[in-house]
DNA sequence: AACTAGCTTTGTGGATGATTTCTAT
DNA sequence: TATAGAAATCATCCACAAAGCTAGT
């Protein structure tokens, strides 16, 4: 049986190209899409750009996933999650809510979205297309894209790094979080990797995207594992490991903002569009016009890198100036997130046609239903 | 188990005003 | 770059039939 037949049989064929396996679901379009078609469709205009997309449910293959079950390593829509976990035996599964994304995220952002870094080199196809880099290492042009220790700034909690939980929300009897607590890749990891890899090949400025990602919310300093963030073959040992940049504790008021939203739990997802705009607004500063009042800690490693670039020993990498995220900026990001969340709307779905017919024929006064005099 | 009665909850669309985003100057 | 005005977007309101739920037979 061919791959296509397999895909068709699995009911996962992309509604747009009818060729690739669908991995995402767009509620607004009620469509299952592969990554490539998703980008094509949703880059058409600003309206489409705002469609919210989610991974496709691993169980029913026809609904947007909203829950990631770490125990089963699967993503489920709310219905399937209920079906799968209603039994007491499976109700203890380690599950957490996942959300979708809007806009047209880059490959690196999609990598973050699915949180695939902990699979690293185990990914079967990553062994392909090796390219020598001259110094003995072997480098796949896109391999590192999929194998970095991704910063995964997909949640606000990633911005809220507090070693002592001074905010008062100290967890009790909660096991330490897995290395990649944002991983939300379901049963179709390999296909996701394959499609992202294909997209990466057609994304010529990938290195820029990647550093964008590092720059997102400005915060190598805020990321515990940031030292592991290694752009391509450049071997850096971030100063952050030994000398973390101090960061003000997250204000309790801001936490209260989150506490009223159980759905967010410990996984607060920042829509990529917002991350991107945030990055553009705050993080990326042109080389020669760096506002020194806003930049922080150009590490000696970066200096070293610059020399290496100048000497031509390594390929040029875009230079990113980081600056601290002050509390006002964080509050702003939070409020933007909350606002966007509050205004998020999905296309209307009529559940009861009879009620629709009834509503259409009702008498109204200024649009409101009017009482019928008997 | 199947049925009924009674109560509660849900969902439906157009007009409107508030808010946000876009555009022109 | 700042500002004003226009355009777009969205939440809210209303009544009531139908769906959903519970308790009793």
């Amino acid at each position: 049986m061919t791959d296509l037949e397999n895909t068709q049989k699995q009911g996962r064929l992309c509604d747009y190209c009818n060729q690739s396996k669908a991995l995402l679901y767009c509620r607004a379009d009620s469509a299952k899409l592969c990554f490539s078609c998703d980008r094509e469709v949703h880059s058409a205009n600003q309206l489409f750009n705002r469609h919210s997309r989610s991974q496709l449910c691993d169980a029913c293959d026809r609904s947007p996933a909203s829950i990631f079950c770490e125990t089963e390593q699967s993503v489920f829509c709310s219905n399937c999650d209920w079906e799968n976990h209603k039994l007491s035996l499976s109700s203890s599964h380690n599950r957490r809510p996942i959300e979708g994304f809007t806009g047209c995220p880059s490959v690196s952002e999609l990598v973050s979205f699915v949180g695939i870094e902990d699979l690293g080199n185990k990914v079967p196809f990553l062994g392909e297309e090796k390219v020598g880099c001259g110094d003995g290492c072997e480098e796949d042009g896109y391999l590192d894209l999929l194998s970095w220790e991704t910063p995964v700034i997909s949640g606000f909690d990633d911005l809220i790094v507090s070693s002592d939980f001074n905010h008062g929300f100290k967890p009790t009897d909660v096991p330490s979080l897995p290395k990649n607590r944002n991983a939300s890749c379901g049963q179709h990891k390999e296909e996701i990797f394959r499609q992202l890899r294909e997209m990466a090949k057609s994304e010529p400025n990938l290195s820029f995207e990647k550093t964008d990602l590092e720059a997102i919310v400005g915060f190598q300093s805020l990321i515990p594992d940031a030292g592991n963030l290694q752009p391509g073959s450049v071997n850096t040992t971030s100063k952050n490991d030994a000398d973390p940049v101090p960061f003000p504790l997250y204000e309790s008021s801001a936490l209260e903002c989150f506490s009223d939203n159980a759905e967010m739990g410990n996984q607060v997802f920042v829509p990529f569009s917002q991350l991107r705009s945030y990055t553009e607004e705050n993080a990326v500063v042109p080389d020669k016009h760096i506002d020194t009042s806003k930049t922080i800690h150009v590490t000696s490693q970066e200096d070293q890198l610059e020399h290496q670039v100048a000497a031509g020993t390594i390929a040029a990498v875009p230079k990113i100036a980081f600056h601290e995220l002050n509390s006002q900026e964080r509050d702003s990001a939070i409020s933007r997130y909350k606002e966007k969340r509050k205004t998020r709307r999905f296309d209307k779905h009529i559940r009861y046609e009879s009620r629709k017919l009834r509503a259409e024929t009702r008498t109204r006064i200024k649009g409101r239903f009017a009482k019928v005099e008997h």
Side-chain angles (χ1 to χ4, degrees), chain A residues 199-214:
Chain A
M199 286 175 70
K201 286 177 181 174
S202 58
E203 200 168 272
N205 57 339
L206 184 61
S207 59
F208 282 84
E209 296 284 358
K210 186 174 172 184
T211 32
D212 276 356
L213 193 64
E214 291 176 20

Side-chain angles (χ1 to χ4, degrees), chain A residues 35 39 104-117 142 144-154 195-197 199-201 203 205-216 229 272 275-276 279:
Chain A
F35 276 105
R39 170 173 288 187
C104 288
S106 65
V107 172
S108 53
E109 289 168 332
L110 288 169
V111 167
S112 276
F113 170 57
V114 295
I116 56 182
E117 78 280 11
Y142 305 99
D144 30 335
L145 158 69
L146 299 176
S147 61
W148 341 309
E149 297 292 342
T150 311
V152 192
I153 323 278
S154 54
Q195 290 190 14
L196 287 178
R197 193 161 187 268
M199 286 175 70
K201 286 177 181 174
E203 200 168 272
N205 57 339
L206 184 61
S207 59
F208 282 84
E209 296 284 358
K210 186 174 172 184
T211 32
D212 276 356
L213 193 64
E214 291 176 20
I216 285 171
L229 190 63
F272 284 109
L275 285 178
R276 174 163 289 281
T279 305

Side-chain angles (χ1 to χ4, degrees), chain A residues 4 10 12 68 133 147 156 197 199 214 220 284 337:
Chain A
L4 179 60
Q10 290 164 9
R12 274 214 166 227
F68 175 68
C133 63
S147 61
F156 271 107
R197 193 161 187 268
M199 286 175 70
E214 291 176 20
Q220 272 190 303
V284 181
Y337 169 74

Side-chain angles (χ1 to χ4, degrees), chain A residues 56-103:
Chain A
L56 204 51
C57 173
D58 282 338
C60 65
D61 291 337
R62 57 188 162 82
S63 298
S66 56
I67 302 289
F68 175 68
C69 175
E70 286 182 29
T71 312
E72 297 180 52
Q73 286 293 302
S74 299
V75 293
F76 296 111
C77 63
S78 50
N79 284 342
C80 295
D81 176 61
W82 166 250
E83 286 298 320
N84 266 31
H85 299 104
K86 62 185 175 187
L87 299 175
S88 59
L89 192 65
S90 54
S91 62
S92 60
H93 283 187
N94 191 10
R95 290 136 65 216
R96 57 179 162 79
I98 54 172
E99 291 199 20
F101 61 88
T102 59

Side-chain angles (χ1 to χ4, degrees), chain A residues 263-277:
Chain A
E263 189 188 340
M264 294 169 74
N266 65 350
Q267 290 296 323
V268 185
F269 183 80
V270 184
F272 284 109
S273 53
Q274 290 191 10
L275 285 178
R276 174 163 289 281
S277 62

Side-chain angles (χ1 to χ4, degrees), chain A residues 17-54:
Chain A
C17 64
N18 274 318
Q19 289 182 335
S20 301
K21 182 184 277 190
L23 297 165
L24 300 170
Y25 186 87
C26 172
R27 291 172 191 263
D29 298 328
S30 298
K32 295 179 288 187
L33 298 166
C34 61
F35 276 105
S36 174
C37 291
D38 173 73
R39 170 173 288 187
E40 188 175 338
V41 168
H42 293 103
S43 61
N45 60 44
Q46 285 204 327
L47 187 65
F48 292 165
N49 199 270
R50 296 173 65 178
H51 288 180
S52 172
R53 286 98 75 198
S54 311

